Amino acid sequence: DAGVTQSPTHLIKTRGQQVTLRCSPKSGHDTVSWYQQALGQGPQFIFQYYEEEERQRGNFPDRFSGHQFPNYSSELNVNALLLGDSALYLCASSLKLRHSGLSGAQHFGDGTRLSIL
Amino acid sequence: EDKVVQSPLSLVVHEGDTVTLNCSYEVTNFRSLLWYKQEKKAPTFLFMLTSSGIEKKSGRLSSILDKKELFSILNITATQTGDSAVYLCAAYMEYGNKLVFGAGTILRVKS
């Protein structure tokens, strides 16, 4: 049973560039959430995708955007990169419980380590 | 503002010791409390607690939630060096569909 997979593992960019990170959810999951984890801190919620739409968004600027595909995989795009965007980007998947509207426990991928020079 | 606070920030113990990690939360529309263990990369799911006062156990780990006092604890008995990690707790918000994480507790178990 494949867990959550993310690519690439590491990425080095320079200020002003754009980046795309990819995530495939755990088999059977339909909801994908993205988090940013700076060094020494807990993950911070960026946004969540369900049924190919952004459902919730955290306190992140419009430079952060995303997409979910029909196969439930997802991309995170960041434009005009800043030094402060250097972090571990985590993708988490879960199964939305349709009757309750709730999501089950979120399972995380290994993340993409993004470094901005 | 929604927040989750963990204590202590870091902890060093010897193998065989018992540790208690604390997590307090203040979030709107609280639904459940989750604990994760993070070593090098992906946080690994440990427990999801929804009901107050019901202890969940998995081997040497156990956790309980107090929804009246807004806190949870994670206990690890007979610690091993493999328990060394960052332990994260997160509050799941019912309508926000998101997790609000604490900063984590760094646990180091010395042999």
Side-chain angles (χ1 to χ4, degrees):
Chain A
D1 181 21
V4 180
T5 59
Q6 291 186 245
S7 63
T9 305
H10 295 89
L11 205 51
I12 299 175
K13 293 285 189 179
T14 57
R15 283 178 295 175
Q17 285 189 310
Q18 173 266 338
V19 68
T20 297
L21 310 182
R22 295 176 176 81
C23 171
S24 292
K26 180 180 168 69
S27 178
H29 284 183
D30 58 5
T31 302
V32 173
S33 302
W34 287 92
Y35 294 82
Q36 180 194 67
Q37 187 176 23
L39 202 59
Q41 297 182 22
Q44 299 294 310
F45 176 77
I46 303 175
F47 43 52
Q48 184 180 85
Y49 278 84
Y50 172 66
E51 291 185 332
E52 301 179 48
E53 289 188 18
E54 182 183 295
R55 300 292 176 168
Q56 288 291 331
R57 189 178 182 93
N59 190 25
F60 280 80
D62 292 345
R63 297 186 298 108
F64 290 77
S65 63
H67 189 78
Q68 186 180 34
F69 299 94
N71 66 353
Y72 308 120
S73 66
S74 176
E75 288 181 349
L76 164 65
N77 301 294
V78 188
N79 295 322
L81 287 166
L82 304 173
L83 293 177
D85 294 332
S86 295
L88 178 67
Y89 287 84
L90 294 165
C91 168
S93 73
S94 58
L95 177 63
K96 186 169 289 291
L97 304 174
R98 296 183 184 277
H99 296 297
S100 66
L102 302 174
S103 293
Q106 296 187 11
H107 295 257
F108 286 82
D110 282 343
T112 294
R113 173 71 63 186
L114 176 62
S115 299
I116 311 301
L117 303 179
Chain B
E1 182 183 348
D2 300 315
K3 63 178 180 180
V4 174
V5 178
Q6 293 186 243
S7 65
L9 291 180
S10 65
L11 196 54
V12 181
V13 300
H14 288 94
E15 271 191 316
D17 288 349
T18 293
V19 299
T20 298
L21 309 183
N22 304 295
C23 175
S24 64
Y25 62 91
E26 286 183 42
V27 301
T28 53
N29 300 312
F30 173 82
R31 174 64 185 177
S32 55
L33 194 290
L34 288 82
W35 284 95
Y36 289 87
K37 176 184 180 182
Q38 185 174 29
E39 296 178 83
K40 295 293 185 183
K41 296 179 179 178
T44 304
F45 173 75
L46 295 174
F47 297 110
M48 183 175 183
L49 303 159
T50 304
S51 301
S52 199
I54 299 175
E55 185 183 51
K56 289 209 171 182
K57 293 195 69 163
S58 176
R60 297 176 294 104
L61 278 65
S62 64
S63 184
I64 197 162
L65 174 67
D66 186 327
K67 292 171 76 172
K68 181 179 178 184
E69 300 297 330
L70 307 184
F71 79 90
S72 174
I73 61 172
L74 174 68
N75 283 315
I76 308 174
T77 59
T79 52
Q80 303 171 357
T81 55
D83 295 327
S84 296
V86 176
Y87 289 83
L88 296 163
C89 79
Y92 174 64
M93 301 162 65
E94 182 165 353
Y95 298 111
N97 283 331
K98 68 179 185 182
L99 293 172
V100 178
F101 280 88
T105 292
I106 302 170
L107 174 64
R108 182 180 165 211
V109 181
K110 298 170 68 173
S111 58

